Coordinates of all heavy atoms in Angstrom, one line a residue:
G489 N -1.2 -43.9 -3.6 CA -2.3 -43.3 -4.4 C -2.7 -42.0 -3.7 O -1.9 -41.1 -3.5
T490 N -4.0 -41.9 -3.3 CA -4.4 -40.6 -2.6 C -4.4 -40.8 -1.1 O -4.9 -39.9 -0.4 CB -5.9 -40.3 -3.1 OG1 -6.7 -41.4 -2.8 CG2 -5.9 -40.0 -4.6
R491 N -4.0 -42.0 -0.6 CA -4.1 -42.2 0.8 C -2.7 -42.0 1.5 O -1.7 -42.2 0.9 CB -4.5 -43.7 1.1 CG -5.9 -44.0 0.6 CD -6.3 -45.4 0.9 NE -6.4 -45.6 2.4 CZ -6.6 -46.8 3.0 NH1 -6.7 -47.9 2.2 NH2 -6.7 -46.9 4.3
R492 N -2.7 -41.5 2.7 CA -1.5 -41.2 3.5 C -1.4 -42.4 4.5 O -2.2 -42.4 5.5 CB -1.6 -39.9 4.2 CG -1.7 -38.7 3.2 CD -1.5 -37.4 3.8 NE -2.4 -37.1 5.0 CZ -2.2 -36.1 5.8 NH1 -1.2 -35.2 5.6 NH2 -3.1 -35.9 6.8
I493 N -0.4 -43.2 4.3 CA -0.3 -44.4 5.2 C 0.8 -44.1 6.3 O 1.9 -43.7 6.0 CB 0.1 -45.6 4.3 CG1 -0.9 -45.8 3.2 CG2 0.2 -46.9 5.2 CD1 -2.3 -46.0 3.7
H494 N 0.4 -44.4 7.5 CA 1.3 -44.2 8.7 C 2.7 -44.9 8.5 O 2.8 -46.0 8.0 CB 0.7 -44.8 9.9 CG 1.6 -45.0 11.1 ND1 2.3 -46.1 11.2 CD2 1.9 -44.2 12.1 CE1 3.1 -46.0 12.3 NE2 2.8 -44.9 12.9
K495 N 3.7 -44.2 8.9 CA 5.1 -44.8 8.8 C 5.8 -44.5 10.2 O 5.7 -43.4 10.7 CB 5.9 -44.2 7.7 CG 7.1 -44.9 7.3 CD 7.7 -44.3 6.0 CE 9.0 -45.1 5.6 NZ 9.6 -44.5 4.4
T496 N 6.4 -45.5 10.7 CA 7.0 -45.4 12.1 C 8.1 -44.4 12.0 O 9.0 -44.5 11.2 CB 7.5 -46.7 12.6 OG1 6.4 -47.7 12.6 CG2 8.0 -46.6 14.0
P497 N 8.2 -43.4 13.0 CA 9.3 -42.5 13.0 C 10.6 -43.2 13.4 O 10.6 -44.2 14.2 CB 8.8 -41.5 14.0 CG 7.8 -42.2 14.9 CD 7.1 -43.1 14.0
T498 N 11.7 -42.7 13.0 CA 13.0 -43.2 13.3 C 13.4 -42.8 14.7 O 12.8 -41.8 15.3 CB 14.1 -42.8 12.3 OG1 14.2 -41.4 12.4 CG2 13.7 -43.2 10.9
Q499 N 14.5 -43.4 15.3 CA 14.9 -43.0 16.6 C 15.4 -41.5 16.5 O 15.3 -40.8 17.5 CB 16.1 -43.9 17.0 CG 15.6 -45.3 17.3 CD 16.7 -46.2 17.8 OE1 17.7 -45.8 18.5 NE2 16.7 -47.5 17.4
R500 N 16.1 -41.1 15.4 CA 16.6 -39.8 15.3 C 15.4 -38.8 15.3 O 15.5 -37.7 15.9 CB 17.4 -39.6 14.1 CG 18.8 -40.2 14.2 CD 19.6 -40.0 12.9 NE 20.9 -40.4 13.0 CZ 21.9 -39.7 13.4 NH1 21.7 -38.4 13.8 NH2 23.2 -40.1 13.6
E501 N 14.3 -39.1 14.6 CA 13.2 -38.2 14.6 C 12.5 -38.1 16.0 O 12.1 -37.0 16.4 CB 12.2 -38.7 13.5 CG 12.7 -38.5 12.1 CD 12.0 -39.4 11.1 OE1 11.3 -40.4 11.5 OE2 12.2 -39.2 9.9
A502 N 12.4 -39.3 16.7 CA 11.9 -39.2 18.0 C 12.8 -38.4 19.0 O 12.3 -37.7 19.8 CB 11.7 -40.7 18.5
A503 N 14.1 -38.6 18.8 CA 15.1 -37.8 19.6 C 15.0 -36.3 19.4 O 15.1 -35.5 20.3 CB 16.5 -38.3 19.4
A504 N 14.7 -35.9 18.2 CA 14.6 -34.5 17.9 C 13.4 -33.9 18.5 O 13.3 -32.7 18.8 CB 14.5 -34.3 16.3
C505 N 12.3 -34.7 18.8 CA 11.1 -34.3 19.4 C 11.1 -34.4 20.9 O 10.2 -34.0 21.6 CB 9.9 -35.0 18.9 SG 8.8 -34.1 17.8
L506 N 12.2 -35.1 21.5 CA 12.2 -35.4 22.9 C 12.1 -34.2 23.8 O 11.5 -34.3 24.9 CB 13.4 -36.2 23.2 CG 13.5 -36.8 24.6 CD1 12.3 -37.7 24.9 CD2 14.8 -37.6 24.8
H507 N 12.7 -33.1 23.4 CA 12.7 -31.9 24.3 C 11.3 -31.4 24.5 O 10.9 -30.8 25.5 CB 13.6 -30.8 23.8 CG 13.3 -30.2 22.5 ND1 12.7 -29.0 22.4 CD2 13.4 -30.7 21.2 CE1 12.5 -28.7 21.1 NE2 13.0 -29.7 20.4
W508 N 10.4 -31.5 23.4 CA 9.0 -31.1 23.6 C 8.3 -32.0 24.6 O 7.5 -31.5 25.5 CB 8.3 -31.1 22.3 CG 8.9 -30.2 21.2 CD1 9.4 -30.5 20.0 CD2 8.9 -28.8 21.3 NE1 9.8 -29.4 19.4 CE2 9.6 -28.3 20.2 CE3 8.6 -27.8 22.3 CZ2 9.8 -26.9 19.9 CZ3 8.8 -26.5 22.1 CH2 9.4 -26.1 20.9
L509 N 8.5 -33.3 24.5 CA 7.9 -34.2 25.4 C 8.3 -34.0 26.9 O 7.5 -34.0 27.8 CB 8.2 -35.7 25.0 CG 7.6 -36.8 25.9 CD1 6.1 -36.7 26.0 CD2 8.1 -38.2 25.4
E510 N 9.6 -33.8 27.1 CA 10.1 -33.5 28.4 C 9.6 -32.2 29.0 O 9.3 -32.1 30.2 CB 11.7 -33.5 28.4 CG 12.3 -34.9 28.1 CD 11.9 -35.9 29.2 OE1 11.6 -35.5 30.4 OE2 12.0 -37.1 29.0
S511 N 9.5 -31.2 28.1 CA 8.9 -29.9 28.5 C 7.4 -30.1 29.0 O 7.0 -29.5 29.9 CB 9.0 -28.9 27.4 OG 10.4 -28.6 27.1
E512 N 6.7 -30.9 28.2 CA 5.3 -31.2 28.6 C 5.3 -31.9 30.0 O 4.4 -31.5 30.8 CB 4.6 -32.1 27.6 CG 4.3 -31.4 26.2 CD 3.7 -32.3 25.2 OE1 4.4 -33.2 24.7 OE2 2.5 -32.2 24.9
I513 N 6.2 -32.8 30.2 CA 6.2 -33.5 31.5 C 6.5 -32.6 32.6 O 5.9 -32.6 33.7 CB 7.2 -34.7 31.4 CG1 6.7 -35.8 30.4 CG2 7.4 -35.3 32.8 CD1 7.7 -36.9 30.2
A514 N 7.5 -31.7 32.4 CA 7.8 -30.7 33.4 C 6.7 -29.8 33.7 O 6.4 -29.4 34.9 CB 9.0 -29.9 33.0
T515 N 5.9 -29.4 32.7 CA 4.8 -28.5 32.9 C 3.5 -29.2 33.5 O 2.9 -28.7 34.4 CB 4.4 -27.8 31.6 OG1 5.5 -27.1 31.1 CG2 3.3 -26.8 31.8
V516 N 3.2 -30.4 33.0 CA 2.0 -31.1 33.5 C 2.2 -31.7 34.8 O 1.3 -31.9 35.6 CB 1.6 -32.1 32.4 CG1 0.5 -33.0 32.9 CG2 1.2 -31.5 31.1
A517 N 3.5 -32.1 35.1 CA 3.9 -32.7 36.4 C 3.0 -33.9 36.7 O 2.4 -33.9 37.8 CB 3.8 -31.7 37.5
P518 N 2.9 -34.9 35.9 CA 2.0 -36.0 36.2 C 2.6 -36.9 37.3 O 3.8 -37.0 37.5 CB 2.0 -36.8 34.8 CG 3.3 -36.5 34.2 CD 3.6 -35.1 34.6
Q519 N 1.7 -37.5 38.0 CA 2.1 -38.5 39.1 C 2.5 -39.8 38.4 O 3.4 -40.5 39.0 CB 1.0 -38.8 40.0 CG 0.5 -37.5 40.8 CD -0.7 -37.8 41.7 OE1 -0.9 -39.0 42.1 NE2 -1.4 -36.8 42.1
A520 N 2.0 -40.1 37.3 CA 2.3 -41.4 36.6 C 2.1 -41.1 35.1 O 1.3 -40.3 34.6 CB 1.5 -42.5 37.1
I521 N 2.8 -42.0 34.2 CA 2.7 -41.9 32.8 C 2.4 -43.2 32.2 O 2.9 -44.2 32.7 CB 4.0 -41.3 32.2 CG1 4.4 -40.0 32.9 CG2 3.9 -41.1 30.7 CD1 5.8 -39.5 32.4
V522 N 1.5 -43.3 31.2 CA 1.3 -44.5 30.4 C 1.9 -44.4 29.1 O 1.6 -43.4 28.3 CB -0.3 -44.8 30.3 CG1 -0.5 -46.0 29.5 CG2 -0.9 -44.9 31.7
A523 N 2.8 -45.3 28.7 CA 3.4 -45.4 27.4 C 2.7 -46.3 26.5 O 2.6 -47.5 26.7 CB 4.9 -45.9 27.6
L524 N 2.1 -45.7 25.5 CA 1.3 -46.5 24.5 C 2.1 -46.8 23.3 O 2.3 -46.1 22.4 CB 0.1 -45.6 24.1 CG -0.9 -45.2 25.2 CD1 -1.9 -44.2 24.6 CD2 -1.6 -46.4 25.8
G525 N 2.8 -48.0 23.4 CA 3.6 -48.4 22.3 C 5.1 -48.3 22.5 O 5.5 -47.6 23.4
A526 N 5.9 -48.9 21.6 CA 7.3 -48.9 21.8 C 8.0 -47.6 21.6 O 9.0 -47.3 22.3 CB 7.9 -50.0 20.8
T527 N 7.6 -46.8 20.6 CA 8.2 -45.5 20.4 C 8.0 -44.6 21.7 O 9.0 -43.9 22.1 CB 7.6 -44.8 19.2 OG1 7.8 -45.6 18.0 CG2 8.2 -43.4 19.0

Side-chain angles (χ1 to χ4, degrees):
T490 58
R491 299 183 64 186
R492 303 192 300 172
I493 306 301
H494 163 276
K495 196 173 182 181
T496 303
T498 65
Q499 292 182 33
R500 284 179 173 272
E501 290 160 347
C505 249
L506 185 57
H507 65 102
W508 297 119
L509 177 61
E510 292 296 340
S511 295
E512 288 178 291
I513 294 173
T515 301
V516 175
Q519 298 177 21
I521 305 175
V522 177
L524 301 171
T527 300

